[in-house]
């Protein structure tokens, strides 16, 4: 269930990240891609249903962006990598 603030804003994602950052709208998939930096996770959330797919990474992740060929380009503290849709990360 979504909560509505006194100003009329609605909570789109009911999550409890350690440090949630970097929301990016993926129009092709109809999903919001966002990261939990300290939790070392990348999330894909369907706003209408709230269904979320979560990928755990072996390192801190600062940002994620949908890649043209599918999967995601990932910014980590060590540099850049690629995360495929099955959750396999290559740095």
């Amino acid at each position: 269930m979504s909560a509505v603030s006194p100003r009329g804003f609605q909570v789109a994602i009911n999550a409890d990240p350690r440090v949630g950052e970097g929301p990016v709208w993926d129009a092709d998939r109809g999903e919001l891609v966002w990261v939990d930096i300290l939790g070392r996770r990348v999330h894909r959330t369907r706003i209408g249903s709230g269904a979320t797919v979560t990928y755990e990474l072996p390192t801190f992740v600062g940002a994620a962006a949908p890649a043209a060929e599918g999967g995601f380009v990932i910014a980590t503290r060590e540099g850049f990598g690629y995360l495929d849709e099955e959750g396999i990360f290559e740095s």
Side-chain angles (χ1 to χ4, degrees), residues 65-80:
E69 68 278 0
F72 305 91
V73 176
I74 305 295
T76 70
R77 75 174 173 182
E78 294 84 17
F80 290 92

Side-chain angles (χ1 to χ4, degrees), residues 3-89:
V4 178
S5 76
R7 294 183 184 238
F9 296 106
Q10 187 172 359
V11 175
I13 301 169
N14 189 10
D16 190 24
R18 291 179 63 195
V19 179
E21 287 282 347
V24 175
W25 178 247
D26 183 346
D28 291 339
R29 295 183 182 118
E31 297 175 332
L32 187 68
V33 178
W34 57 286
V35 302
D36 180 354
I37 296 171
L38 297 179
R40 301 177 183 197
R41 293 182 175 99
V42 174
H43 305 278
R44 298 169 38 198
T45 302
R46 291 202 171 271
I47 297 302
S49 68
T52 299
V53 174
T54 299
Y55 304 98
E56 293 192 28
L57 277 70
T59 186
F60 295 114
V61 55
E69 68 278 0
F72 305 91
V73 176
I74 305 295
T76 70
R77 75 174 173 182
E78 294 84 17
F80 290 92
Y82 175 76
L83 176 67
D84 72 16
E85 303 226 7
E86 282 73 48
I88 298 172
F89 177 70

